[in-house]
């Protein structure tokens, strides 16, 4: 298997593949706009009278509807046949494999989160710019967000009726408005499907988990002599997900690749040694599975499951200092090796459990042969569930020596040492594992009309629609601990011969003492007190109202052809309202104490009582008014010099929150006299307006463990509080693309090739620093951040970091896309067709800057802990006949680093100031292997109506490469790496 992981061989394979025009599905499935016949555009058939004529072309990258029109913006396309061949239970996975899509989120991302609300949310990110900078449309229309960030959930789309997916890999704000900075992903449905089709599929990993089954069906029929068309579809998808591992390094299902890889932080020593060192089998010495005394004269005494004390085995030959700070000589923020049984990193779900139910219907009625009115309804529900971590790791606990649960031998040791209390840390393996269960329900209704009319001898096309969308998200968390009750329950005393809670107020309100030394199971009463039946809860209602009216026509005839014009106006209103439980939010008019969340004087009325999942109330609304115009002017058209056109567009946008902003684009194409060779270029000014979350975010508090405190040289737990900023302005981007296509030249009719360079610069980017960065920048001298946190709480209970977004950052990225394909009919005289195709994206630069004084720009191209590897490739070879097909797919991305900001040195490292160490810290090792995945698919047509198919993903079971951070989590990067392993799928399709 190692030969498939070799970067040098893969580099050779990439070059050879491109030279040979590698990669393609047998049908013209994933192509850029490289030929007049490419599926990057859709020719509307004459058989459907209300659609544009057969010579009219609708291109997602433009609002122009015109014959012979070529958009300057590159567009990649996946056809329904290509999507079917990839045999995924969610169409999202197929599209996200395109190399230009970097940083998309799905069921394997966000599983270590409690409060984000994005678990199981399938959303796209183009160019690594994030899901919020990619606009996703359904039939060219907006879709209500499934999260307050505004991104929709692809799982809620009617997937069986998708005819094709267009991916515009450039700025399109002038055409479609806000969010289209990285580009547009447009799902185009089959609006006049006739007949019945169905699909049943099942799958499982090689480890016996993530069992899947999918059922889909769609039907369509015309009535009233073809004037009335009705179609419906429904689907049910169940994916078991991959459960979490346990404590230590035990990965789920027998997976053997987890090794707790971590970056050890040695601090700024300036003794020639690096600040960070890469380590595997990192040991969290602040707690153990069943308890550890972490400071003072008894430091280093641990407890087994039965509560018996023993001497903890520190890694790195660490020696406890037995001082009040609890430092361990020989260890940094973690030790290496030793007793790892209390580590919690692999206790995170590798993939969320997911259940998807989707229903869709469309009714269209032809008023006459040229005009149609229609309505669509889409109702979908997606339920997910994940485990963010096992137990509830806690450090910095103070236990009294005379606590009845403290073993007698430890009480004697306390007396001998002259102490009355000790510091304690425990993974709390006695607690049930936390479960986070979001449910997203979407209701989407669209009513519209489109068609043609004639004015002064000129044909015009119009498109009008109104959309109302509502998404209801309910997040329920089970097995979550109320920290004030936990703190009261662990402090026990002996009162009249009975063990009770020390806090009299807590005792009077039902406190039940618990023993956190050892692994004795908790009783039902103990669990009910610290983990009540009703855990953290959040209810969010998000609505979108959108209306659009646009026209496209050819009002003038110019010497080289008709002048094409598109213009129109749009209105959109976005609203959200979120309510949460009184324990998390605090008591308010919308979050009152009730039977589910009764009053308790132990709890804070200000909220933030839960260990995690402290959801808060909030609401926000804004509206947008827009007008746009787009022109396409033919410049010349002759056999001698070829054919060229100029495409320009402008958009006026007025946001109720931030005022007016203008966007534009200018570009063109030139079909040269050389057969099949087209040059194209486009530059644009694009915007992304702040979303509801950034403007009006309900304050959210999450517990963040293992934050490094550089002021005291130790790790601490903090409450991270995130709030919105209503004064945010839109981000402004400049997007430029230039390239060429070579389509089916006479000397090689089956060959197509394209090359495009892209460049994107975003100013005033909305961003916020991480909790660790805010602390580090303060320590390095950025004093304006020093008031945003507090780290000196003795028991960690009052530590916090406040985070808020600002228009300070900038992003610059550039690179190029390559696509090549070759189709060969009846290869070597055999029946059928052989197709090969390759798509590749190279990221030359991805540079971010926080905008803070003294902050260095960070080069993220090639950082494999993120989403932008230097090279990413998708290759496919396919052989198809009337009876069967077989398809080979290769997915590859290049080797990278943990972070390009590091200075690599083993010794004699440079002397640095705190600011220099924050911007460019030293490290001993900074390499992160890329990955190569090989997939195999095949199908067999049992009859004309029945097709059996199978698919194996990650055939060689390539394990993920460790993605180390300065704290220990699951330590892998699911945005790039396959974390599930080999996956088998089989299915049966019916088409009548």
């Amino acid at each position: 298997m190692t030969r498939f992981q070799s970067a040098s061989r893969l580099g050779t394979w990439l070059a050879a593949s491109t030279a040979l025009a590698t990669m393609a599905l047998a049908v013209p499935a994933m192509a850029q706009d490289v030929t007049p016949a490419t599926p990057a555009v859709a020719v509307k058939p004459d058989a459907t009278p209300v659609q544009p004529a057969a010579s009219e072309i609708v291109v997602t990258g433009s609002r122009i509807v015109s014959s012979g029109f070529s958009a300057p913006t590159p567009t990649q396309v996946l056809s329904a046949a290509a999507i079917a061949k990839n045999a995924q239970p969610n169409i999202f996975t197929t599209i996200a494999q395109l190399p230009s899509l970097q940083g998309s989120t799905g069921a394997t991302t966000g599983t270590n989160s409690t409060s984000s609300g994005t678990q199981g949310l399938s959303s796209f990110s183009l160019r690594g710019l994030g899901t919020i900078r990619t606009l996703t449309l359904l039939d060219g229309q907006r879709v209500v967000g499934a999260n307050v960030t505004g991104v929709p959930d692809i799982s809620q789309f009617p997937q069986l009726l998708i005819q094709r997916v267009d991916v515009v890999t450039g700025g399109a704000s002038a055409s479609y408005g806000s969010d289209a900075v990285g580009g547009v992903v447009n799902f185009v449905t089959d609006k006049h499907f006739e007949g019945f089709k169905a699909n049943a599929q099942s799958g499982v990993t090689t480890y016996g988990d993530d069992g899947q089954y999918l059922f889909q069906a769609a039907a369509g029929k015309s009535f009233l002599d073809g004037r009335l068309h009705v179609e419906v579809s429904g689907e049910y998808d169940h994916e078991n997900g991959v459960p979490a591992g346990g404590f230590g390094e035990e990965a789920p299902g027998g997976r053997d690749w987890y090794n707790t890889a971590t970056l050890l932080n040695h601090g700024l020593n300036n003794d020639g040694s690096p600040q960070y060192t890469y380590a595997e089998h990192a040991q969290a010495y602040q707690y153990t599975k069943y308890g550890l005394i972490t400071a003072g004269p008894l430091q280093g005494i641990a407890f087994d499951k039965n509560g018996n004390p023993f001497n903890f085995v520190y890694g790195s030959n660490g020696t406890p200092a037995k001082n009040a700070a609890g430092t361990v000589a020989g260890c940094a923020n973690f030790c290496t090796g030793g007793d790892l049984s209390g580590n919690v990193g692999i206790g995170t779900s590798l993939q969320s459990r997911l259940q998807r139910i989707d229903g869709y219907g469309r009714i269209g009625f032809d008023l006459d042969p040229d005009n149609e009115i229609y309505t669509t309804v889409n109702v979908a529900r997606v339920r997910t569930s994940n485990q963010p971590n096992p137990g509830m790791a806690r450090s910095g606990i103070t236990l009294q020596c005379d606590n009845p649960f403290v073993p007698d031998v430890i009480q004697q040791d306390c007396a001998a040492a002259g102490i009355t209390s000790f510091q304690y840390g425990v993974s709390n393996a006695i607690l049930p594992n936390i479960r986070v269960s979001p449910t997203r329900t979407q209701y989407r209704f669209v009513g519209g009309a489109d068609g043609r009319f004639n004015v002064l001898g000129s044909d015009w096309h119009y498109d009008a629609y109104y959309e109302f969308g509502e998404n209801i998200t309910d997040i329920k968390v089970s097995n979550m601990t109320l920290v004030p009750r936990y703190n009261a329950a662990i402090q026990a005393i002996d009162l009249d011969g009975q063990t009770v809670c020390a806090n009299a107020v807590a005792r009077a309100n039902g406190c039940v003492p618990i023993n956190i030394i050892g692994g004795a199971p908790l009783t039902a009463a103990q669990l009910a007190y610290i983990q009540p039946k009703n855990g953290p809860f959040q209810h969010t209602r998000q609505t979108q109202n959108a209306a659009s009216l646009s026209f496209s026509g050819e009002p003038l005839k110019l010497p080289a052809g008709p002048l094409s014009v598109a213009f129109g106006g749009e209105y959109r209103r976005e609203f959200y309202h979120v309510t949460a439980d009184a324990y998390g939010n605090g008591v308010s008019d919308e979050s009152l104490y009730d039977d589910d969340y009764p009053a308790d004087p132990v709890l804070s009325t200000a909220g933030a009582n839960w260990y995690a999942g402290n959801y808060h109330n909030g609401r926000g609304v804004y509206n947008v008014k827009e007008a746009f115009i787009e022109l396409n002017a033919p410049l010349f058209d002759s056999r001698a010099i070829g054919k060229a056109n100029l495409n320009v567009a402008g958009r006026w946008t007025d946001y109720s929150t931030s005022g007016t902003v203008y966007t534009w684009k200018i570009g063109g194409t030139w079909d040269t006299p050389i057969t099949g060779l087209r040059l194209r270029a486009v530059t644009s000014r694009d915007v992304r307006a702040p979303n509801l979350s950034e403007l009006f975010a309900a304050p959210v508090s999450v517990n963040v463990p293992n934050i490094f405190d550089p002021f005291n040289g130790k790790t601490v737990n903090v409450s991270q509080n995130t709030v919105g900023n209503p004064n945010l302005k839109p981000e402004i981007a400049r997007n430029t693309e230039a390239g060429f296509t070579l389509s089916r030249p006479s000397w090689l009719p089956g060959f197509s090739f394209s090359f495009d360079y892209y460049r994107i610069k975003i100013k005033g980017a909305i961003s916020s620093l991480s909790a660790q960065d805010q602390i580090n920048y303060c320590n390095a001298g950025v004093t304006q951040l020093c008031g945003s946190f507090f780290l000196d709480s003795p028991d960690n209970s009052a530590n916090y970091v406040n985070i808020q977004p600002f228009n300070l950052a900038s992003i610059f990225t550039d690179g190029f896309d390559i696509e090549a394909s070759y189709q060969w009919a009846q290869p070597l005289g055999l029946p059928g067709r052989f197709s090969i195709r390759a798509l590749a994206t190279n990221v030359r630069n991805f540079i971010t800057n926080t905008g803070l004084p003294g902050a260095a720009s960070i080069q993220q191209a090639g950082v494999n802990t993120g989403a932008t590897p230097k090279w990413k490739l998708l290759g496919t070879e396919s052989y198809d006949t009337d009876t069967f097909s077989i398809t080979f797919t290769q997915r590859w991305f290049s080797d990278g680093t943990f972070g390009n900001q590091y200075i690599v040195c083993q010794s004699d490292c440079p002397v640095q100031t705190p600011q220099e160490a924050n911007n460019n810290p030293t490290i001993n090792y900074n390499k992160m292997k890329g990955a190569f995945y090989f997939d195999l698919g095949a199908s067999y047509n049992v009859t004309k109506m029945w097709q059996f198919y199978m698919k194996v993903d990650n055939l060689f079971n390539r394990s993920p490469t460790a993605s180390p951070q300065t704290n220990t989590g699951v330590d892998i990067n699911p945005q790039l790496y396959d974390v599930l392993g080999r996956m088998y799928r089989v299915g049966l399709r019916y088409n009548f």
Side-chain angles (χ1 to χ4, degrees), residues 615-649:
Y615 305 118
H616 288 257
N617 300 340
R619 66 171 61 228
V621 63
Y622 70 85
N623 61 71
V624 189
K625 298 182 288 290
E626 301 182 271
F628 71 90
I629 186 169
E630 182 175 357
L631 302 173
N632 184 72
L635 301 178
F636 52 81
D637 186 0
S638 75
R639 186 169 299 179
I641 60 175
K643 178 181 179 181
N645 69 287
L646 176 68
N647 181 236
V648 297

Side-chain angles (χ1 to χ4, degrees), residues 33 105 187 315 323 352 592 709 833 856:
D33 182 12
T105 64
F187 290 77
N323 55 20
S352 294
L592 297 170
D709 175 5
R833 178 171 55 183

Side-chain angles (χ1 to χ4, degrees), residues 353-436:
R353 182 182 179 94
L354 185 146
Q355 180 192 71
R356 180 170 62 88
I357 302 174
D358 186 281
Y360 176 84
R362 185 182 191 275
I363 300 175
F365 180 73
D366 297 350
L367 299 175
D368 58 43
D370 290 326
N371 297 278
E372 179 194 42
I373 57 174
Y374 64 89
T375 183
T376 67
V377 177
N378 187 192
V379 179
R381 173 171 291 173
V382 178
R383 299 180 186 270
T384 66
S385 178
N386 68 289
Q387 175 180 311
N389 57 268
M392 186 187 75
R394 298 281 287 173
S395 61
I397 299 171
T398 299
L399 288 182
Q400 301 301 314
C401 292
D402 61 358
N403 187 314
F405 293 125
V406 174
D408 291 342
V409 64
I410 301 301
Q411 294 192 22
Q412 295 167 10
D413 289 342
C414 285
I419 59 175
T420 59
S421 64
F422 54 85
Q423 294 296 304
Y424 187 73
V426 63
S427 302
N428 279 300
I430 59 175
L431 298 179
N433 294 327
I434 299 167
R435 299 299 302 179
V436 184

Side-chain angles (χ1 to χ4, degrees), residues 284-310 312 314 323-326 342 392-401 403 405-407 410 414 419-431 486-487 489-491 514-520 715 717 793-797:
Y285 60 82
Q286 300 85 1
Y287 47 82
T288 63
K289 188 173 184 178
Y290 298 117
L292 171 70
I293 299 177
T294 58
L298 305 186
Q299 182 184 3
I301 296 177
F303 300 90
D304 64 17
K305 186 174 183 179
N306 296 318
N308 300 315
F310 66 93
F312 182 65
Y314 287 93
N323 55 20
M392 186 187 75
R394 298 281 287 173
S395 61
I397 299 171
T398 299
L399 288 182
Q400 301 301 314
C401 292
N403 187 314
F405 293 125
V406 174
I410 301 301
C414 285
I419 59 175
T420 59
S421 64
F422 54 85
Q423 294 296 304
Y424 187 73
V426 63
S427 302
N428 279 300
I430 59 175
L431 298 179
Y486 173 89
N487 291 340
I490 64 176
Q491 304 298 340
I514 63 173
N515 180 12
I516 59 171
I517 297 176
T715 58
N717 296 343
S793 173
D795 62 355
N796 288 323
S797 62

Side-chain angles (χ1 to χ4, degrees), residues 584-915:
N585 174 78
V587 180
S588 71
D589 291 342
E590 293 184 319
S591 299
L592 297 170
Y593 287 138
D594 55 22
D595 291 342
D596 290 335
Y597 301 93
D600 184 345
V602 172
L603 304 179
S604 169
T605 57
N609 290 292
W610 300 107
Y611 173 68
N614 290 295
Y615 305 118
H616 288 257
N617 300 340
R619 66 171 61 228
V621 63
Y622 70 85
N623 61 71
V624 189
K625 298 182 288 290
E626 301 182 271
F628 71 90
I629 186 169
E630 182 175 357
L631 302 173
N632 184 72
L635 301 178
F636 52 81
D637 186 0
S638 75
R639 186 169 299 179
I641 60 175
K643 178 181 179 181
N645 69 287
L646 176 68
N647 181 236
V648 297
R651 178 177 287 254
W652 167 86
T653 304
D654 182 71
Y655 295 100
S656 61
T657 52
S658 56
T660 301
V661 65
Y662 298 94
T663 56
W664 51 263
K665 75 169 179 177
I666 180 169
T669 63
W670 176 27
D671 292 334
T672 69
I674 301 174
T675 304
L677 179 62
R678 173 184 295 166
L679 307 182
R680 60 187 176 192
V682 62
T683 186
S684 60
R685 184 180 195 258
D686 299 284
V687 300
R688 184 187 76 84
N691 57 48
L692 290 166
S693 175
E694 293 163 331
L695 290 166
F696 313 111
V700 174
S701 298
V702 296
N703 182 69
V704 181
N706 301 323
I707 291 292
F708 183 69
D709 175 5
F711 304 98
N712 299 300
K714 63 179 182 179
T715 58
V716 296
N717 296 343
V718 303
S719 177
Q720 178 177 294
N721 307 309
T722 304
V723 296
N725 183 353
N727 297 316
L728 291 171
K729 303 294 183 182
E731 300 175 345
I732 304 298
R734 182 66 181 273
N735 202 319
T736 301
E737 291 186 278
F740 70 91
T741 66
L742 181 63
S743 177
R744 297 180 176 87
S746 57
W747 47 270
L748 194 59
F751 176 70
S752 294
F753 181 87
S754 70
F755 178 96
D756 290 281
Y757 169 79
Y758 69 89
R759 184 182 189 275
I760 304 171
K761 178 66 180 291
I762 304 174
K763 295 181 179 180
I766 301 168
S767 67
S768 56
L769 297 174
S770 68
Q772 187 68 69
D773 281 343
Q774 288 192 191
I775 296 166
N776 290 346
Y777 275 115
C778 169
N779 182 56
V782 184
T783 57
Q784 57 262 54
L785 294 174
C786 295
S788 65
F789 59 86
F790 177 79
L791 305 176
D792 295 328
S793 173
D795 62 355
N796 288 323
S797 62
N799 291 340
Y800 69 86
V801 180
N802 292 329
I803 292 176
Q804 186 178 35
F806 293 95
N807 288 99
L808 293 177
S810 64
I811 302 173
F812 169 75
T813 182
D814 74 334
F816 49 85
D817 297 322
I818 302 173
E819 180 173 349
S821 65
Y822 184 73
Q823 297 186 8
W824 187 7
Q826 296 182 331
L828 303 176
L830 298 173
R833 178 171 55 183
F834 179 66
S835 302
I836 55 177
R837 182 181 258 150
L839 295 94
T841 291
N842 171 257
V843 182
R844 296 177 67 245
N845 292 286
F846 195 101
I847 301 172
T848 61
N849 190 294
T850 64
L852 292 171
S857 296
I858 299 176
Q859 172 64 272
Q860 294 179 296
V863 175
N864 285 5
T865 57
T868 50
K870 276 286 187 180
W871 280 98
K872 191 176 180 183
L873 181 140
L874 177 65
T876 304
E877 302 82 39
S878 182
Y879 177 63
D880 292 75
T881 72
D882 292 338
T883 304
F884 72 92
S885 73
I886 185 167
T887 303
F888 304 102
T889 303
Q890 301 83 39
R891 298 173 282 133
W892 173 77
F893 59 89
S894 56
D895 293 348
T897 66
F898 304 144
N900 292 328
Q901 73 273 26
Y902 294 111
I903 299 172
V904 179
C905 55
Q906 306 293 330
S907 59
D908 298 324
C909 295
V911 176
Q912 294 182 307
T913 66
Q915 181 70 48

Side-chain angles (χ1 to χ4, degrees), residues 562-573:
L563 173 69
S564 300
V565 179
F567 63 92
E570 297 175 354
Y571 173 82
R572 181 161 48 94
R573 181 181 184 272

